[in-house]
Structure formats: structure tokens, C-alpha cells
């Protein structure tokens, strides 16, 4: 750097002091200062001298590190080393010049060295904040003033003591100052520095709103928003969005402050507040209105009262300060953190969450119910004490775990803010299973008589309703007459409230309890048990013979015919019904005098073939299948003809669904079977039972997960099977002989094989002999034949033990002959 020679003065000593002569005065700078001694760095030579504080002529409190002093050099009598004595502090001279204007420049650490940073205007380098007012031992925090004269730039140092009124200076501030030159060292510095104009600082903030051509920034230095136009944004405008951290400059236009030169900052740079780690508990004193009034200007309208540091405080809060969207009520017991705004030191409550014991404080009226329906973001609750279903939003659920249909809940009912006539559920809390009950059941048991039978609503309304829809409908109520304290009363009942599978009929004597709906007070009979049955009605037993899409057939107790029934007449779940199940039913006549079964009820299994079962196992052939296999025949029963030699050869015996060892097995005409004979109890007729088909056939083909057996079923010449139906997990091959059962899919009418068991393996594939022409060609080839095909070993084979090459010696073999 360069200095103006006209401003420099040399007031120091020109004589050279070697420290050996007594009485010669030198100058230096206090380098180290302790309680009773210190060290001086000589200005005119490379020496560092010890001094004792008793040698200082003046008030020792005024002496500081970096002060210029004048002294004499003497010898220490004990060590013989040179020391400084007769110290006098040198007062710097102020140049009699006018003030010079400058500007605060880049920060510099505590160092007497200054650097030119390319400023066009005079610059001051501010004292670093972390050194302002303090320094390391032996150092004084300094800054530098830069000014321009005659086109040249000059730098002068300054210390905090050189600034008027101890004002803090920042880089770029415009200042005025005096120059002074130390007469002993010749160093020029700035003194009496006065701030002329603060440099315009870059501000930071967060974009809080964006419009079509402009936006607003919430400032980070003051609680205030500032306008900016998109033309002032330096960056990708499409990437700018609310919540982005930005920095900007402030200018005044048309009497209003606006942000200019807006630039993006890394996310998280701007921090408005400090949030306490400690949690506090308090009570909601004022909630945020759901619909703010026109005069509502307070951004933090809510209030929470709490005792903090042994004093009562009321903290404000806003909509964004709650952890969830659950409605807050006056008196709620809550937990929260305290946020302190860095700009105006305003305290507020944030991260507010409702505590589980809050309902003890609010004394609100809580209701219970069950989740009845759920949609995208909302749902409905079936209330215990209300007829209408109650709307709720997912944001009102207190727990973080999701709700499911049929979950039991507790909630508070409040008016809808948009319509006072409508209510909705808020503050929803999940309850343990079994907590919610819609009915109150009496402990007393009553005795009564069925006055009117209950029937399924689907049977009375529409005979063609599918089973799934029939189950959704409630059963039509029946009526039970009884006496209580001498008063004759009646009570309705429903099929779902029966104990056991049997349906009560007109005149039956029953025992029951009375259930009362909490919501409406309506009573009905529950836990109904039949005590005895009158002889007026006749219930019949049968066995399920066929199941179709929405109807089926029941085999009568005599096993000689089948009765049609529609699934709507089934009392219970149709999906639990299987072939051969024992059912109880009542006969009825419909249109065209067609007989059908109604009030079909599944009951405990009954031995349908009787107890008189012969021990002899007979061989026979199916001469007629069941009607479920061949719907074209008029007779329901199938027939089996005895084929083995004996007295009964050629005789035929009927069979039904209960005769089959496997009820799902589908017997075809002409199949061979093993069976026994039994006697039907009601008719004393001989009947085939425990029928086991004797099916053997060959596997035609096996593919990935299925295969086909050469077996004729109806019009098909092949029978499908799945590999999962093969017993013992064996892998079947084409030609294997197997035994199997045939099942008929009642709904599709197609047959397939199951319980497939391999009886014997098929013949192994025989190697096909080589063609004669190839054998002759191989015989004609010699090793010496140059035209013969040759093999080149590319890679030696590797054995199971990781050995290479052939372990068995190769033997000469005759061409065309397979060993």
C-alpha cells in the first residue's frame, strides 16, 4: 500500500541505542503486562526488555498493552541482563488537520496489518464482533479505516478507544475521523472516529405469500411483512414458493419500503424463534374462534394459563401452534413448549397437545358409538343415544393409530360452524372392545308363547334376492305373548336372537330375556330358548344333495327324492352349508302347486343311513347316477348293480347323497365301486352305503401345475387334476397308473380329479435306436480321415469333488452300439 508523504511525521528518536550506556532514552511498546512486571518491545532495535512496575512513572492503572513508552536501559544487578527503568507513557500527538471521511470495510482480526480489498470509496474495516472489547494476551483488537486521496487508497488502523461514544461500527459504515502520527514510531492511525451513515444491510426473511406478479416476505429482523415484485427476484421464479428463505435489500418507493434484489437462501437459514426443550402444562383459557369476527386482527387469539417459574402466566397461541387439528375447548389440560420470538422477544405457547386427563377438567358431555362408515378423510358414527349417524373428520381423532369400521369410540357433539341445525363429532377417543352397548338386557327370564312366527325379510319380499343381499336385510319380527305381574304383554323377537338352530313356531313355549334399546326405549325378546313344541307344525329332516348359485336341493329322510329350496329360505349363513349336511325344514306349496322347502335350518348331524349296516363289501357298477350328475333323468336316486359272483349278482340297489363315503365324489354311469348294504329305517328298503369308487386310469400328460388323466366323464375323454391333489407329493409321469376320486363343481357343472394316488409307474422311455444311415456313416469314419468332424476341448470338465478331467479311463467302443 502507499501513504501520502505530506501527512506523515517522524517525531521519534533518531539516535541508535545499544543498551549499554546509562541515561540513554529509548522508545517501545508494552508487549506483556502482568500484576508486578511486564515486557517492552523496542521500537528502534530487535530487543525485548523486562521491566518492573515500580519503574513506571505514573498511574499503573492507565498503562495498557500496546501503549507507547519511553525508558532508559539499565543492567539487572543480579543477572546482569539489560532491563528497562524509568518508564514514561508517551502521549500521541493529534495532527492539526480537518476530519477525513471514510467508510467501514471488511472485517479483520486483531492485527496491525491492513489489506486493500478493492473498494473504490474510503473504507473502514470493522473490529470483529468476537474481539470487540476483548483480545488475546498481548494483542489489542483493531480495525482499519480506508480512505482515498488523489486517486490512491490508504489504510489506517483504529482501536475501540478511537471510536466516539463507544459506538459499534460495521463494515461499510461511512465515518469521519482525524489522523495522528506516533512521534516515536511514526505509525499513522485514525482517532476520534464518528459515524456518519450506517451501511444499508442485507435483510433476511421467509416468503409468506405469493400472488400473480408479486409476493410478501416476513422479515427476520422485525415483526413486519414487506412487499416485493417478481421482477426483483434473482433466480428461477417458478421454483419460488411460500416458505422459502430469502435475503433482500430494502428501498423506499412512493413512500413505502419494498424488497429488492431478492435471492434464495438455503432452507433453514432464517430462524424467527427459539423453542424451549422443556415441556410445560397448563389450561386453555381462551380458544381460537372457528369463525373469526370482522374485528379480529390478533394473529394469536388463543390463550393458555400456566404456572411458570413460580408465577402465573397467560401465553397466546395461534392456529399453527397445535400439534393436531383436534378441537380445543375452554378448560382443556394441555402440554406445550414456549417459543420466544427473536425479533420482539414475544413468548407464546406452541406444540400444544391435549393430555389424556383433560375430560376431567372440561366436564364436557361425552357420548359413545361405533364407527359405521368411513370415506376419504371422514366417516360416520352410529350413536348409542341418537337416531342419526354422526359425521366426523379424521383430524378429530385423538390417537395417532387409524380407526376401522366397528371400532368403539367416545366423542363430544358440537354444532356445525356452517349450519347450527347440524352436529358433528369432535375429540374422538378409541375405546376397548366391549365398552359400547346399544342395549340394556334384563337379568330376569320370562316364559311366553309364540303368537306370530318370525320369517326372513328377504323371503317375504323377494324370492330372487341373492344370498349376500339376503343377509344384509333384517328378519321380519315375530311376536311372543307373556305375562308379567298378572299383566298380559307382547314383545317382538327376531331370528338372530334365537339360541340354537331350531326355529320357534306358532304355539311353541319359549323362555327369553328382554333387551331395551338405549336410544329409543324399544324392547325385544333375546336369548330365546324353545321349551316345548306343539304338535301343530311339522318339521322334516333332510340332507343337502345339491348346491347351485342361489338355490339347492335337499334329499328327504327316505333318500328317494329331492326337495327344492331357495337360499333366501335359509336361516343362517349359506356359505357354511356343505353337501351331506343335515337340515330341518318345512314343506310349502308355491305357484303351480310345486313343493319346496322353507325355513331351512342347519342342525346337528344325523346318521342318515341307519344302524343296520351289513359287513359284507360288494363290488358293483353304477347303472344310473344321481340326478345331480345327470339332470336329464327323472328319478333322483342312483342305482348300483352287483357284479361279483354270488347269490346277489345282477341285483340293483339304490343310493343317495348320504350313501357316498365322500359326499363330494361324483359317480358316473358305468363306474366300478365297492359298497355295503343298509336298511332305510322308515321304508325298510335295502340301500347301498359307504360307496367307494374303484377308479384306475393312466396319466395322459403332466404340465407345470396340472395334468390330465385318460378317463371319460360325460362328453369329455380326459379328466383334469391339479398337482396339489397328488398324494404323498409324488411327481407323476406320463403313463403312470393312478387311483382317484371325481368331484363335481356344483356351480360350474365341471368334474375334476382329487385324492390322486399312484398305483404303479409307467414304462420307462426306451432309447430310440440310431438310424441305419447314421450308423453306417460312423462306421466309415476313421481317425486318420482329414474330412471327419473333430472335437476341440475348450474347457476340461469338473467333477463333484472339484477335480478336473476324466477320472475313468476311456474305452474303445463300437460305433452305433449303445452300452
Amino acid at each position: 500500500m502507499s501513504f501520502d508523504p505530506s501527512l506523515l511525521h517522524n517525531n521519534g528518536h533518531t539516535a541508535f541505542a545499544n543498551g549499554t550506556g546509562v541515561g540513554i532514552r529509548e522508545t517501545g511498546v508494552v508487549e506483556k503486562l502482568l500484576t508486578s512486571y511486564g515486557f517492552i518491545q523496542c521500537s528502534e532495535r530487535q530487543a525485548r526488555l523486562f521491566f518492573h512496575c515500580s519503574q513506571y512513572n505514573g498511574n499503573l492503572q492507565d498503562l495498557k498493552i500496546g501503549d507507547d513508552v519511553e525508558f532508559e536501559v539499565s543492567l539487572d544487578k543480579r543477572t546482569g541482563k539489560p532491563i528497562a527503568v524509568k518508564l514514561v507513557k508517551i502521549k500521541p500527538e493529534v495532527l492539526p488537520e480537518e476530519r477525513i471521511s471514510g467508510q467501514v470495510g471488511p472485517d479483520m482480526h486483531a492485527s496491525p496489518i491492513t489489506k486493500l480489498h478493492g473498494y473504490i470509496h474510503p473504507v473502514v474495516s470493522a473490529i470483529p464482533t468476537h474481539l470487540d472489547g476483548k483480545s488475546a494476551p498481548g494483542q489489542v483488537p483493531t480495525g482499519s479505516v480506508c480512505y482515498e486521496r488523489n486517486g490512491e487508497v490508504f489504510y489506517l488502523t483504529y482501536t475501540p478507544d478511537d471510536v466516539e461514544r463507544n459506538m459499534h461500527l460495521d463494515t461499510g459504515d461511512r465515518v469521519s475521523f482525524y489522523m495522528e502520527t506516533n512521534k516515536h514510531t511514526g505509525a499513522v492511525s485514525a482517532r476520534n472516529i464518528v459515524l456518519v451513515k450506517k451501511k444499508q444491510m442485507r435483510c433476511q426473511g421467509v416468503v409468506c405469500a405469493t400472488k400473480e406478479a408479486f409476493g410478501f416476505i416476513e422479515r427476520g429482523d422485525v415483526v413486519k411483512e414487506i412487499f416485493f415484485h417478481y421482477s426483483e427476484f434473482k433466480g428461477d421464479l417458478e421454483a419460488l414458493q411460500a416458505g422459502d428463505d430469502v435475503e433482500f435489500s430494502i428501498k423506499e418507493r412512493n413512500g413505502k419500503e419494498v424488497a429488492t434484489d431478492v435471492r434464495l437462501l438455503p432452507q433453514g437459514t432464517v430462524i424467527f424463534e427459539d423453542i424451549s426443550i422443556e415441556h410445560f402444562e397448563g389450561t386453555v383459557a381462551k380458544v381460537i374462534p372457528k369463525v373469526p369476527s370482522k374485528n379480529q386482527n390478533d394473529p394469536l387469539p388463543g390463550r393458555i394459563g400456566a404456572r411458570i417459574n413460580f408465577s402465573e402466566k397467560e401465553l397466546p397461541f395461534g392456529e399453527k401452534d397445535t400439534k393436531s387439528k383436534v378441537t380445543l375447548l375452554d378448560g382443556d389440560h394441555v402440554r406445550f413448549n414456549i417459543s420466544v420470538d427473536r425479533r420482539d422477544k414475544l413468548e407464546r405457547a406452541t406444540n400444544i397437545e391435549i393430555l389424556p386427563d383433560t375430560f376431567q377438567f372440561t366436564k364436557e358431555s361425552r357420548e359413545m358409538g361405533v364407527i359405521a362408515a368411513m370415506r376419504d378423510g371422514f366417516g360416520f358414527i352410529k350413536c348409542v343415544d341418537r337416531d342419526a349417524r354422526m359425521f366426523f373428520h379424521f383430524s378429530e381423532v385423538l390417537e395417532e393409530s387409524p380407526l376401522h369400521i366397528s371400532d368403539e369410540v367416545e366423542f363430544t357433539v358440537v354444532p356445525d360452524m356452517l349450519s347450527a341445525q347440524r352436529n358433528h363429532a369432535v375429540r374422538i377417543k378409541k375405546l376397548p372392545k366391549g365398552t359400547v352397548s346399544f342395549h340394556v338386557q334384563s337379568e330376569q327370564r320370562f316364559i311366553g308363547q309364540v303368537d306370530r312366527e318370525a320369517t326372513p325379510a328377504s323371503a317375504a319380499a323377494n324370492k330372487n334376492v341373492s344370498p349376500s343381499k339376503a343377509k344384509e336385510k333384517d328378519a321380519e319380527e315375530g311376536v311372543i305373548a307373556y305375562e308379567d305381574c298378572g299383566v298380559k304383554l307382547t314383545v317382538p323377537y327376531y331370528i338372530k336372537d334365537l339360541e340354537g338352530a331350531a326355529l320357534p313356531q306358532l304355539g311353541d313355549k319359549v323362555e327369553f330375556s328382554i333387551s331395551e334399546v338405549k336410544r329409543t326405549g324399544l324392547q325385544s325378546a333375546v336369548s330365546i330358548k324353545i321349551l316345548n313344541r306343539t304338535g301343530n307344525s311339522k318339521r322334516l329332516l333332510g340332507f343337502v344333495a345339491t348346491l347351485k348359485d342361489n338355490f339347492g336341493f335337499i334329499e328327504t329322510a327316505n333318500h328317494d327324492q329331492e326337495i327344492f329350496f331357495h337360499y333366501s329360505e335359509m336361516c343362517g349363513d349359506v356359505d357354511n352349508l356343505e353337501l351331506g349336511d343335515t337340515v330341518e325344514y318345512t314343506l310349502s306349496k308355491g305357484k303351480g302347486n310345486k313343493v319346496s322347502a322353507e325355513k331351512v335350518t342347519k342342525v346337528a348331524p344325523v346318521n342318515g343311513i341307519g344302524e343296520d349296516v351289513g359287513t359284507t363289501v360288494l363290488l358293483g357298477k353304477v347303472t344310473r347316477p344321481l340326478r345331480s350328475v345327470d339332470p336329464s333323468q327323472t328319478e333322483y336316486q342312483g342305482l348300483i348293480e352287483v357284479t361279483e359272483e354270488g347269490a346277489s349278482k345282477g341285483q340293483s340297489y339304490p343310493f343317495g347323497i348320504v350313501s357316498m363315503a365322500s359326499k363330494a365324489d361324483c359317480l358316473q354311469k358305468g363306474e366300478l365301486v365297492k359298497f355295503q348294504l343298509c336298511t332305510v329305517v322308515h321304508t325298510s328298503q335295502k340301500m347301498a352305503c359307504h360307496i367307494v369308487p374303484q377308479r384306475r386310469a393312466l396319466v395322459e400328460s403332466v404340465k407345470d401345475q396340472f395334468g390330465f388323466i385318460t378317463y371319460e366323464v360325460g362328453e369329455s375323454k380326459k379328466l383334469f387334476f391339479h398337482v396339489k391333489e397328488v398324494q404323498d407329493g409324488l411327481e407323476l409321469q406320463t403313463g403312470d397308473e393312478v387311483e382317484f376320486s371325481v368331484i363335481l363343481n356344483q356351480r360350474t357343472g365341471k368334474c375334476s380329479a382329487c385324492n390322486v394316488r399312484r398305483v404303479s409307474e409307467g414304462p420307462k422311455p426306451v432309447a430310440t435306436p440310431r438310424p441305419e444311415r447314421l450308423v453306417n456313416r460312423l462306421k466309415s469314419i476313421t481317425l486318420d480321415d482329414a474330412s471327419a468332424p473333430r472335437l476341440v476341448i475348450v474347457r476340461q470338465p469338473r467333477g463333484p469333488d472339484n477335480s478336473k478331467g476324466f477320472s475313468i479311463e476311456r474305452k474303445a467302443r463300437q460305433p452305433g452300439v449303445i452300452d
Side-chain angles (χ1 to χ4, degrees):
M1 73 186 69
S2 59
F3 293 88
D4 187 352
S6 64
L7 296 177
L8 299 179
H9 300 272
N10 185 10
N11 294 329
H13 296 277
T14 57
F16 177 78
N18 55 18
T20 58
V22 180
I24 299 176
R25 305 288 289 178
E26 291 189 31
T27 60
V29 179
V30 177
E31 182 188 55
K32 187 173 183 179
L33 183 61
L34 299 177
T35 306
S36 60
Y37 65 93
F39 290 90
I40 298 172
Q41 179 67 47
C42 298
S43 300
E44 288 123 358
R45 59 193 176 100
Q46 293 294 328
R48 186 171 181 264
L49 301 180
F50 169 88
F51 74 92
H52 196 273
C53 291
S54 60
Q55 294 293 322
Y56 177 66
N57 184 15
N59 186 1
L60 191 61
Q61 299 296 327
D62 295 335
L63 187 64
K64 298 179 181 179
I65 295 174
D67 284 349
D68 295 328
V69 293
E70 191 178 58
F71 56 89
E72 293 182 4
V73 179
S74 178
L75 296 177
D76 192 310
K77 295 180 180 180
R78 184 170 57 84
T79 63
K81 294 181 178 180
I83 60 174
V85 298
K86 299 181 182 179
L87 275 75
V88 178
K89 184 176 180 180
I90 302 174
K91 294 183 178 180
E93 294 182 3
V94 179
L95 295 178
E97 290 191 13
E98 62 181 9
R99 280 186 169 274
I100 300 175
S101 297
Q103 184 176 355
V104 177
D107 289 351
M108 296 187 66
H109 296 287
S111 172
I113 302 175
T114 59
K115 296 181 180 179
L116 179 62
H117 293 273
Y119 287 88
I120 298 176
H121 301 288
V123 174
V124 172
S125 176
I127 298 174
T129 305
H130 65 283
L131 294 177
D132 197 358
K134 57 181 179 180
S135 63
Q139 290 182 322
V140 177
T142 62
S144 63
V145 177
C146 181
Y147 68 98
E148 181 183 359
R149 175 162 294 184
N150 297 328
E152 293 188 82
V153 178
F154 302 93
Y155 282 83
L156 302 177
T157 60
Y158 76 96
T159 66
D161 293 337
D162 296 324
V163 182
E164 295 290 340
R165 298 188 297 275
N166 294 324
M167 183 173 291
H168 176 74
L169 297 179
D170 294 316
T171 301
D173 286 348
R174 301 287 300 182
V175 295
S176 65
F177 57 91
Y178 290 109
M179 291 174 49
E180 73 168 10
T181 303
N182 190 303
K183 66 180 180 180
H184 300 288
T185 64
V188 181
S189 61
R191 290 185 65 91
N192 303 107
I193 300 173
V194 177
L195 177 67
V196 176
K197 182 180 180 181
K198 292 290 289 183
K199 178 191 175 183
Q200 184 179 2
M201 299 294 293
R202 291 283 286 173
C203 297
Q204 295 182 343
V206 175
V207 177
C208 59
T210 55
K211 305 297 182 180
E212 290 185 1
F214 60 91
F216 292 91
I217 299 171
E218 185 175 357
R219 292 174 58 174
D221 53 344
V222 293
V223 184
K224 188 178 180 181
E225 291 182 3
I226 187 169
F227 169 92
F228 76 99
H229 195 272
Y230 286 167
S231 60
E232 294 291 344
F233 180 70
K234 311 301 181 184
D236 184 7
L237 190 59
E238 294 184 357
L240 184 67
Q241 57 185 355
D244 285 344
D245 293 355
V246 293
E247 68 171 358
F248 55 92
S249 301
I250 298 177
K251 289 186 178 180
E252 189 171 307
R253 292 177 181 171
N254 299 327
K256 293 182 179 180
E257 288 184 338
V258 296
T260 61
D261 191 20
V262 182
R263 300 177 185 269
L264 278 177
L265 291 174
Q267 202 68 18
T269 302
V270 182
I271 301 175
F272 291 118
E273 58 194 5
D274 297 310
I275 299 176
S276 67
I277 300 176
E278 182 183 359
H279 284 86
F280 301 90
E281 293 185 6
T283 304
V284 176
K286 180 184 177 182
V287 298
I288 300 174
K290 289 289 185 181
V291 180
S293 61
K294 295 181 179 179
N295 299 326
Q296 177 65 45
N297 296 321
D298 188 359
L300 304 173
R303 296 292 183 270
I304 292 178
R307 187 172 182 81
I308 300 173
N309 297 330
F310 307 102
S311 63
E312 296 292 336
K313 278 190 176 182
E314 192 172 78
L315 299 171
F317 68 92
E319 289 184 358
K320 297 181 180 180
D321 291 319
T322 55
K323 271 193 170 182
S324 66
K325 298 296 182 181
V326 176
T327 301
L328 287 178
L329 297 179
D330 289 339
D332 265 337
H333 190 204
V334 295
R335 180 170 55 194
F336 59 92
N337 299 103
I338 294 180
S339 169
V340 180
D341 197 308
R342 292 182 176 183
R343 298 168 293 182
D344 59 0
K345 306 305 178 185
L346 174 67
E347 292 184 343
R348 80 174 197 279
T350 189
N351 296 333
I352 303 168
E353 56 181 334
I354 299 174
L355 293 175
D357 61 349
T358 187
F359 304 113
Q360 302 174 8
F361 292 82
T362 57
K363 304 297 182 183
E364 62 195 279
S365 176
R366 302 285 285 171
E367 298 186 18
M368 292 190 292
V370 175
I371 303 296
M374 296 178 69
R375 301 288 186 270
D376 186 15
F378 64 93
F380 293 90
I381 300 173
K382 182 181 178 182
C383 306
V384 172
D385 301 320
R386 297 173 184 261
D387 291 330
R389 296 195 304 176
M390 191 64 61
F391 171 87
F392 74 94
H393 198 275
F394 288 174
S395 61
E396 289 291 346
V397 181
L398 289 171
E399 293 86 357
E400 293 183 359
S401 58
L403 289 178
H404 302 90
I405 292 177
S406 78
D407 279 349
E408 299 177 13
V409 293
E410 181 185 61
F411 55 93
T412 301
V413 177
V414 297
D416 193 294
M417 60 180 179
L418 300 177
S419 174
Q421 288 75 25
R422 295 190 303 177
N423 296 325
H424 64 273
V426 298
R427 302 158 65 87
I428 299 166
K429 180 181 178 182
K430 193 173 179 179
L431 298 176
K433 286 289 185 183
T435 305
V436 178
S437 174
F438 290 87
H439 304 82
V440 178
Q441 185 170 329
S442 66
E443 297 181 359
Q444 181 183 356
R445 298 285 287 176
F446 299 89
I447 305 295
Q449 191 174 22
V450 176
D451 196 37
R452 187 177 74 208
E453 295 181 18
T455 56
S458 57
N462 187 1
K463 294 288 184 180
N464 296 320
V465 177
S466 65
S468 59
K469 292 183 179 179
K471 288 187 288 184
E472 295 176 1
K473 293 179 176 290
D474 294 330
E476 289 185 352
E477 67 179 30
V479 176
I480 297 175
Y482 70 102
E483 286 189 7
D484 185 17
C485 300
V487 180
K488 291 184 179 182
L489 301 170
T490 59
V491 63
Y493 77 95
Y494 299 89
I495 291 177
K496 63 183 179 65
D497 296 319
L498 299 176
E499 286 187 355
L503 290 176
Q505 300 188 17
L506 190 63
D508 284 352
K509 189 175 182 180
V510 294
E511 183 184 42
F512 60 93
S513 299
I514 293 180
S515 173
E516 182 176 314
V517 180
K518 292 181 180 180
R519 183 176 68 251
T520 61
L522 295 177
Q523 294 183 341
S524 62
V526 296
S527 304
I528 304 167
K529 183 179 179 181
I530 300 174
L531 297 180
N532 56 42
R533 173 157 287 173
T534 61
N536 296 333
S537 58
K538 186 177 182 181
R539 298 285 286 173
L540 302 175
L541 283 178
F543 309 93
V544 177
T546 307
L547 292 171
K548 299 292 185 180
D549 285 338
N550 55 8
F551 64 91
F553 290 91
I554 299 172
E555 182 181 291
T556 60
N558 293 336
H559 313 293
D560 57 353
Q561 58 179 319
E562 58 183 357
I563 305 296
F564 170 88
F565 77 98
H566 195 274
Y567 287 166
S568 61
E569 294 291 347
M570 181 66 194
C571 302
D573 191 355
V574 178
D575 294 334
N576 294 332
L577 210 57
E578 295 180 358
L579 292 177
D581 282 349
T582 306
V583 294
E584 190 179 53
Y585 63 96
T586 303
L587 291 176
S588 68
K589 288 187 178 182
K591 294 181 179 180
N593 281 336
K594 291 184 178 180
V595 178
S596 63
E598 63 179 17
K599 301 177 184 177
V600 181
T601 307
K602 184 177 177 180
V603 296
V606 174
N607 184 8
I609 60 176
E611 298 178 356
D612 183 18
V613 179
T615 57
T616 304
V617 178
L618 302 174
L619 293 177
K621 181 174 68 173
V622 178
T623 58
R624 185 177 71 199
L626 289 174
R627 190 181 177 192
S628 59
V629 177
D630 184 8
S632 63
Q633 67 187 36
T634 55
E635 298 84 357
Y636 163 70
Q637 288 180 315
L639 286 178
I640 296 176
E641 180 183 335
V642 180
T643 57
E644 66 177 335
E645 297 294 334
S648 59
K649 182 179 180 181
Q651 293 187 14
S652 296
Y653 297 97
F655 69 93
I657 190 67
V658 296
S659 302
M660 305 297 300
S662 173
K663 304 298 186 291
D665 214 337
C666 177
L667 287 181
Q668 302 288 327
K669 183 178 180 180
E671 286 192 309
L672 298 179
V673 295
K674 287 182 179 180
F675 65 97
Q676 295 169 270
L677 294 176
C678 67
T679 304
V680 180
V681 178
H682 301 290
T683 62
S684 299
Q685 180 187 14
K686 289 292 184 179
M687 175 178 169
C689 64
H690 297 163
I691 301 172
V692 178
Q694 301 297 298
R695 299 188 181 98
R696 286 196 179 190
L698 299 180
V699 176
E700 182 191 70
S701 62
V702 178
K703 298 186 180 179
D704 185 20
Q705 294 294 321
F706 61 92
F708 292 93
I709 299 172
T710 306
Y711 190 80
E712 185 174 348
V713 180
E715 297 179 358
S716 177
K717 303 295 183 182
K718 297 185 294 184
L719 185 63
F720 172 88
F721 73 92
H722 197 279
V723 294
K724 293 190 295 183
E725 295 292 342
V726 180
Q727 296 182 359
D728 302 327
L730 296 176
E731 185 175 345
L732 297 181
Q733 302 291 336
T734 302
D736 288 351
E737 187 178 15
V738 293
E739 287 184 348
F740 53 91
S741 299
V742 177
I743 58 173
L744 173 66
N745 189 317
Q746 296 281 347
R747 305 193 188 280
T748 64
K750 295 183 179 181
C751 293
S752 61
C754 66
N755 300 326
V756 181
R757 183 176 66 87
R758 186 167 67 186
V759 177
S760 62
E761 295 187 27
K764 297 295 182 181
V766 179
T768 306
R770 293 184 176 180
E772 187 67 24
R773 58 180 179 80
L774 180 58
V775 173
N776 294 334
R777 185 167 183 266
L778 291 173
K779 287 180 179 180
S780 64
I781 294 176
T782 63
L783 296 178
D784 297 332
D785 189 359
S787 63
R790 295 183 180 276
L791 299 178
V792 179
I793 298 176
V794 178
R795 182 180 62 215
Q796 289 286 350
R798 188 184 298 273
D801 57 349
N802 212 28
S803 62
K804 292 185 178 180
F806 295 99
S807 60
I808 301 176
E809 184 181 355
R810 298 188 64 181
K811 296 180 181 180
R813 53 184 296 273
Q814 186 178 357
V817 178
I818 300 176
D819 294 337

